[in-house]
């Protein structure tokens, strides 16, 4: 159980406070509701590049990191398709430094051209490190545009290609900032050694004077229902053939989400899952296989991925996976299987609540989904899912027409 | 009117309190116990002194431990996996250089049940041949995959050059080494070597009754006592370049360094932090934040039982490799030649105190901190000593310790 209190400033900043006095620290987690799905299709990778620029100095403060390190704090950030999330951990007696820093960069950046130039290079190296200089690193760069044709999930958060990062201008940076980095598009979580009264006082002092932006609700192009199977064959210099199959599924806030989540656990979480047992252990057609859901704010993907055992063809691999999915769709799920998946989910949630920072992030993300108390209700929602709901979901999602397949073929 | 150009006045950091851990014996095994009832979970970790040093055949220790999950006379591998997963429990087996660890994550209410299942495996694992053959195939594929990653290959190459191919730390396990290994050899390892000098780390919502229960369980476990061979590092100092047609240059620089119990270790660790141990380090500022040559660059001290090493690692832009390498060397030289300013040292002091506090914010964080000394037979006074060195260290100490330990005789690896 994560207890919390919340309030909203006049400028629209949504604040959530989770008090926990067990250590003399505060986590300040600031989530902006902007991710790569909000990007212009001609300027992809921008939300993430922008995250880097947020560390390059703000209106009144030349450096973000140093003043924080000086008071014993540490920080980082990440960007995904839906959100950009900044987090600070600081000894509680210096929490005001975190407010000072974080509010100043919400007020205005320094927009220093030198920072843009350097971070452009840094992000290009990040692109190479994570996506090009790794075997299988480009899988999602290829799978996304296969699975999505209209929705901005069709490009990866890092961007479609390096070209877009190279082309970013300071005008783009300013537009993006004024559009998305406004208090009424943000969620602030304060967790740890702080109470709601002092949180409110500090929020009013530092974030209160920042004017609200004219946040216009973006209507994103929705993905039309997929009616035809899609297929891609890639050849790469990697050691082993890999197989990927993705199916469209619901969004994180949909009432069917938990059923799909448990379905993916039953099929492909752990060594006792259906796919692993049948295809790695018994038939030895794969050397690894798993399935998982994306949990994104707009309708996401149910993914199956695995590496083929040597000598196994993609056709054999594909047929064997299909056989397992057909069994699940036909209802071959035992009570024990379902109870297992629920216990696994419970353990993940309970272990996930150990760290203060995880709790802070969980609250912010639940708020972004639109329901803060989801952090506490998730487990009971999972428990309410019955066998029928899972089978229904399997039959709805796991159809041939709703799927895209990638054969990632190893060549020497 | 709020003046945002003025920073809130910083308060001096509170002294870091190191919570007491309980040190006890469970059936004769040294145990580190940290309790917290915040979350109804328990983690039990067995630390066994049977890493690479105890391998008579390269690559065998992996199978000698991992195969315990693959069958008993009563249960198939499938039934074992199902039994743990059905409780939401998870067993992680980690074969390392100095130790193998077997770690059980469980909800508190399933603790006894999960532990009993684990001990049933210790008592009765049969190492079925078919499961061994399958594990071997998968292991070979995983090794192939690992070796194909330029960054991982560069790290393996560094330890090979630091210690030599014959040394347990230097040996790169390749698929061909795994091929001749047999089920019998793995089982023999499990019977006679694996449970060498077990230690226990027990963390979470632990009751006394559960400790009594563990005492009963561990009584059944027979500890192994095999001797290990001595190996000395055979370092190949100098430049080593490997061409892999990669998209970036994976750079690893290293040098054998002083052990964890050495009197200079805290000073060296602080000097290393200034050089490349955090986001505000000199390497990060110069090579990433000023020049944009990389996404990240770090330096660290890796503590091992016999010979620890110090290393700098980065994935550099290929066309800027020469510039990157010379900037790294330049930063090492500056650290050795010029004492840092008091301001820079103060930043690192506060950063490290805060970092230490943060790493203790949950009982599991605290456990991994204390485990880092428990592994080497040391206790948490190590951290209070670190804190007092952090307060007393002077600028001149930094350049002195850097020039003593970070200069010359470097191994330089580039995989590109």
């Amino acid at each position: 159980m994560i207890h919390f209190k919340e309030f909203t400033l006049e400028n629209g900043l949504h604040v959530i406070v989770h008090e926990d006095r067990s250590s003399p620290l505060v986590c300040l987690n600031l989530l902006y509701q902007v991710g790569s799905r909000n990007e212009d299709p001609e300027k992809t990778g921008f939300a993430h590049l922008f995250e880097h620029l947020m560390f390059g100095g703000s209106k009144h403060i030349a450096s973000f990191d140093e003043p924080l390190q000086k008071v014993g704090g540490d920080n980082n950030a990440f960007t995904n398709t839906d959100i950009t999330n900044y987090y600070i951990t600081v000894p509680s007696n210096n929490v005001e430094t975190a407010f000072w820093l974080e509010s100043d960069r919400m007020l205005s950046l320094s927009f220093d051209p030198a920072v843009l130039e350097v971070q452009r290079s840094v992000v290009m190296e990040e692109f190479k490190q994570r996506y090009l200089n790794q075997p299988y690193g480009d899988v999602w760069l290829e799978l996304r545009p296969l699975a999505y044709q209209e929705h901005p999930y069709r490009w990866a958060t890092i961007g479609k290609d390096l070209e877009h990062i190279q082309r970013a201008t300071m005008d783009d940076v300013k537009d993006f900032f004024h559009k998305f980095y406004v208090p009424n598009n943000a969620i602030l979580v304060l967790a740890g050694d702080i109470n709601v009264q002092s949180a409110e006082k500090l929020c009013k002092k530092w974030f209160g004077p920042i004017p609200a932006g004219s946040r216009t609700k973006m209507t994103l192009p929705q993905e039309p229902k997929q009616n035809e199977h899609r297929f891609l064959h890639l050849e790469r210099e990697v050691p082993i053939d890999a197989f990927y199959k993705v199916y469209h599924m619901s969004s994180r806030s949909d009432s069917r989400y938990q059923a799909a989540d448990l379905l993916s656990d039953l099929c492909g979480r752990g060594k006792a899952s259906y796919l692993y047992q049948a295809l790695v252990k018994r038939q030895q057609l794969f050397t690894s296989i798993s399935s998982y859901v994306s949990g994104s704010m707009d309708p996401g993907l149910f993914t199956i991925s695995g590496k083929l055992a040597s000598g196994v063809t993609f056709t054999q691999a594909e047929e064997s996976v299909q056989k397992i999915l057909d069994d699940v769709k036909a209802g071959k799920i035992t009570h024990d299987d379902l109870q297992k998946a629920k216990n696994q989910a419970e353990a993940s949630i309970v272990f996930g609540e150990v760290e203060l920072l995880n709790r802070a992030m969980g609250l912010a993300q639940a708020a972004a989904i639109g329901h803060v108390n989801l952090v506490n209700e998730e487990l009971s929602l999972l428990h309410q899912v019955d066998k029928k709901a899972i089978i229904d979901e399997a039959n709805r999602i796991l159809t041939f027409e709703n799927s895209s397949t990638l054969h990632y073929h190893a060549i020497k | 009117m709020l003046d945002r150009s003025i920073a809130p006045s910083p308060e001096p950091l509170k002294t870091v309190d190191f919570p007491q851990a309980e040190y006890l014996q469970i059936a004769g095994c040294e145990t580190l116990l940290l309790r917290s009832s915040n979350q109804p979970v328990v983690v039990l970790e067995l630390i066994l002194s049977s890493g690479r040093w105890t391998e008579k055949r390269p690559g065998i220790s992996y199978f000698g431990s991992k195969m315990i999950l693959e069958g008993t006379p009563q249960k198939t591998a499938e039934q074992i996996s199902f039994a743990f997963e059905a409780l939401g429990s998870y067993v992680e087996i980690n074969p390392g250089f100095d130790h193998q660890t077997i770690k059980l994550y469980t909800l508190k209410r399933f603790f006894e049940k999960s532990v009993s299942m684990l001990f049933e495996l210790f008592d009765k694992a049969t190492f079925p041949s078919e499961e061994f053959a399958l594990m071997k195939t998968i292991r070979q594929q995983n090794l192939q995959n690992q070796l194909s990653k330029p960054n991982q290959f560069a790290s393996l190459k560094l330890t090979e050059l630091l210690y030599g191919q014959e040394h347990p730390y230097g040996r790169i396990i390749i698929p061909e080494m795994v091929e001749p290994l047999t089920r019998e050899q793995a089982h023999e390892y499990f019977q006679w070597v694996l449970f060498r000098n077990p230690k226990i780390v027990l963390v979470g919502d632990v009751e006394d009754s559960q400790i009594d229960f563990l005492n009963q369980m561990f009584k059944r476990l027979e500890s192994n006592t095999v001797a290990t061979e001595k190996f000395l590092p055979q370092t190949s100092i100098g430049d080593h370049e490997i061409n892999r047609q990669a998209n970036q240059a994976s750079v690893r620089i290293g040098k054998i360094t002083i052990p964890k119990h050495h009197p200079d270790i805290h000073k060296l660790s602080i000097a290393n932090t200034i050089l490349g141990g955090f986001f505000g380090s000199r390497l990060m500022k110069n090579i990433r934040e000023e020049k944009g040559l990389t996404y990240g660059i770090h330096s660290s001290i890796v503590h091992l039982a016999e010979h620890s090493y110090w290393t700098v690692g980065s994935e550099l832009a290929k066309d800027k490799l020469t510039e990157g390498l010379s900037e790294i060397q330049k930063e090492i030289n500056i650290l050795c030649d010029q004492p840092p300013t008091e301001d820079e040292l103060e930043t690192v002091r506060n950063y490290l105190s805060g970092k230490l506090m943060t790493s203790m914010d949950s009982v599991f964080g605290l456990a991994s901190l204390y485990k880092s000394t428990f592994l080497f037979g040391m206790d948490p006074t190590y951290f209070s000593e670190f804190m007092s060195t952090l307060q007393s260290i002077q600028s001149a100490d930094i350049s002195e310790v850097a020039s003593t330990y970070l200069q010359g005789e470097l191994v330089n690896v580039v995989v590109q």
Side-chain angles (χ1 to χ4, degrees), chain A residues 228-369:
Chain A
E228 202 175 30
H229 173 251
R230 295 174 198 148
F231 174 74
L232 180 66
H233 180 93
L234 289 176
E235 295 191 341
R236 294 284 188 269
E237 284 182 44
V238 293
I240 304 142
D241 287 343
F243 169 84
Y244 294 83
K245 204 167 177 78
V246 295
Y247 301 86
H248 290 284
M249 61 170 278
S250 65
S251 69
R252 181 70 183 79
S253 56
D254 192 288
S255 60
R256 294 165 296 193
Y257 174 80
Q258 283 76 16
D261 191 13
L262 287 171
L263 173 66
S264 76
D265 289 350
L266 284 165
C267 290
R269 175 178 176 183
K271 292 189 169 178
S273 63
Y274 299 141
L275 289 165
Y276 193 93
Q277 274 306 319
L279 308 185
V280 177
K281 284 293 201 180
R282 289 199 290 272
Q283 300 173 38
Q284 305 189 2
L285 298 168
F286 284 82
T287 54
S288 68
I289 191 160
S290 61
S291 62
Y292 42 93
V293 294
S294 60
S296 50
M297 298 218 191
D298 285 325
L301 294 176
F302 182 110
T303 302
I304 296 171
S305 71
K307 296 214 164 62
L308 274 57
S310 73
V312 174
T313 65
F314 279 110
T315 313
Q316 279 175 293
E318 194 154 352
E319 283 170 5
S320 68
V321 169
Q322 193 53 50
K323 174 80 182 57
I324 304 301
L325 300 182
D326 287 343
D327 285 350
V328 172
K329 285 158 76 176
K332 287 190 189 165
I333 298 172
T334 67
H335 171 78
D336 286 355
D337 293 339
L338 183 55
Q339 193 54 48
K340 177 196 73 159
K342 288 180 179 179
N343 281 344
Q344 283 179 300
E346 179 184 345
S348 298
I349 290 172
V350 179
F351 272 103
E353 287 175 7
V354 168
E355 305 286 337
L356 181 64
L357 183 58
N358 274 351
R359 276 177 268 151
M361 286 184 187
L363 285 164
Q365 287 173 30
I369 293 162

Side-chain angles (χ1 to χ4, degrees), chain B residues 55 57-70 93 95 100 127 131-140 143 173 177-179 181-183 185-187 189-190 194:
Chain B
E55 284 190 338
R57 294 174 186 83
I60 197 69
S61 59
Y62 178 94
F63 297 93
S65 56
K66 295 252 181 188
M67 278 297 295
I68 61 174
L69 290 164
E70 301 299 319
I93 300 181
Q100 300 234 34
F127 286 52
E131 299 293 353
F132 180 78
L134 177 59
M135 186 181 281
K136 203 159 97 173
T137 309
I138 295 175
R139 171 72 170 153
Q140 286 175 308
L143 286 170
I173 308 288
M177 286 180 187
V178 170
E179 190 49 42
L181 300 177
T182 66
R183 177 244 158 231
Q185 292 160 355
H187 191 254
Y189 183 94
F190 160 71
L194 180 63

Side-chain angles (χ1 to χ4, degrees), chain B residues 307-331:
Chain B
H307 291 90
S308 302
Y309 67 97
W310 166 74
T311 180
V312 179
S314 182
E315 316 301 308
L316 289 174
K318 241 177 144 169
D319 56 343
K320 304 280 177 57
L321 175 63
T322 318
E323 185 187 357
L325 288 174
S326 87
E327 288 299 319
I328 295 172
Q329 195 50 59
K330 197 176 101 192
E331 290 298 346

Side-chain angles (χ1 to χ4, degrees), chain A residues 70 94 206 271 281 287 343, chain B residues 4 11 70 86 141 350:
Chain A
K70 276 203 159 67
N94 284 321
W206 293 102
K271 292 189 169 178
K281 284 293 201 180
T287 54
N343 281 344
Chain B
R4 292 182 182 269
E11 284 191 34
E70 301 299 319
Q141 225 188 56
N350 290 335

Side-chain angles (χ1 to χ4, degrees), chain B residues 150 241-250 318 321 414-416:
Chain B
E241 200 183 304
I242 294 134
N243 201 326
R244 294 273 292 254
Q245 291 165 332
N247 294 296
Q248 283 180 309
S250 297
K318 241 177 144 169
L321 175 63
V414 176
V415 177
Q416 62 170 340

Side-chain angles (χ1 to χ4, degrees), chain A residues 26 45 120 122 130 155 158 170 209 224 229 249 253 280 351 410:
Chain A
V26 175
R120 197 198 301 277
V122 170
R130 294 196 165 163
W155 57 82
I158 194 75
M170 190 53 88
H229 173 251
M249 61 170 278
S253 56
V280 177
F351 272 103

Side-chain angles (χ1 to χ4, degrees), chain B residues 230-271:
Chain B
K230 268 273 167 219
F231 288 92
L232 287 175
Q234 306 272 337
T235 309
S236 306
I237 294 160
D239 299 340
H240 304 266
E241 200 183 304
I242 294 134
N243 201 326
R244 294 273 292 254
Q245 291 165 332
N247 294 296
Q248 283 180 309
S250 297
V251 172
R252 300 290 182 275
I253 296 169
K255 184 179 162 70
I256 304 274
T257 195
I258 50 176
K260 202 168 176 110
H261 52 75
H262 191 283
D264 285 342
I265 196 64
H266 297 313
K267 285 183 188 166
L268 181 60
S269 159
I270 296 162

Side-chain angles (χ1 to χ4, degrees), chain A residues 1 20 22-25 27 48 52 55 60-61 65-66 69-74 89-94 96-97 99-100 103-104 107 118-119 121-126 128-130 132-136 193 205-210 237-240 269-273 276-277 280-282 284 286-288 307-310 334 336-337 339-341 343-344 346-347 349-351 353-357 359 412, chain B residues 2-14 38-43 69-70 77-79 81-83 85-89 105-107 109-110 130-131 134-135 137-138 141-142 144-146 148-151 245-250 278-281 285 287-296 315-319 343-344 346-348 350-355 357-365:
Chain A
M1 174 75 188
D20 174 358
S22 55
S23 58
L25 294 165
C27 292
H48 168 254
H52 280 247
F55 294 89
H60 303 93
I61 309 169
D65 290 312
E66 250 174 62
Q69 288 153 358
K70 276 203 159 67
V71 299
D74 200 4
T89 305
V90 65
S92 47
N93 55 353
N94 284 321
E96 193 154 359
T97 304
F99 275 91
W100 170 63
S103 64
D104 199 51
L107 182 69
V118 169
Q119 291 309 316
S121 308
V122 170
V123 168
M124 301 213 318
E125 291 311 312
E126 180 178 0
K128 291 185 213 159
Q129 184 172 329
R130 294 196 165 163
L132 304 181
N133 206 31
Q134 294 283 344
Y136 316 100
D193 188 17
K205 176 177 173 186
W206 293 102
F207 287 97
I210 302 171
E237 284 182 44
V238 293
I240 304 142
R269 175 178 176 183
K271 292 189 169 178
S273 63
Y276 193 93
Q277 274 306 319
V280 177
K281 284 293 201 180
R282 289 199 290 272
Q284 305 189 2
F286 284 82
T287 54
S288 68
K307 296 214 164 62
L308 274 57
S310 73
T334 67
D336 286 355
D337 293 339
Q339 193 54 48
K340 177 196 73 159
N343 281 344
Q344 283 179 300
E346 179 184 345
I349 290 172
V350 179
F351 272 103
E353 287 175 7
V354 168
E355 305 286 337
L356 181 64
L357 183 58
R359 276 177 268 151
K412 294 295 164 215
Chain B
L2 186 61
D3 185 352
R4 292 182 182 269
S5 57
I6 303 167
S9 52
E11 284 191 34
L13 295 188
K14 292 174 192 152
N38 285 350
Q39 292 290 104
V41 291
V42 182
V43 175
L69 290 164
E70 301 299 319
E78 176 172 4
Q79 288 166 331
S81 299
F82 194 94
E85 289 177 22
L87 305 177
S89 300
Y105 299 79
T106 171
L107 292 166
R109 68 177 189 273
F110 295 130
E130 323 80 79
E131 299 293 353
L134 177 59
M135 186 181 281
T137 309
I138 295 175
Q141 225 188 56
N142 289 343
Q144 220 184 333
N145 201 15
Q146 184 194 20
S148 76
K149 295 180 181 172
N151 56 348
Q245 291 165 332
N247 294 296
Q248 283 180 309
S250 297
F278 75 126
F279 202 90
S281 71
K285 273 190 183 151
I287 293 164
R288 173 177 149 139
E289 292 297 292
E290 270 167 39
K291 303 201 170 65
L293 307 184
T294 183
Y295 174 51
E315 316 301 308
L316 289 174
K318 241 177 144 169
D319 56 343
D343 186 57
E344 186 180 17
E346 191 56 20
T347 301
V348 168
N350 290 335
Y351 169 78
L352 284 172
S353 318
K355 188 82 195 157
M357 254 157 92
T358 308
S359 65
M360 299 189 295
D361 88 334
S362 82
V363 73
F364 293 104

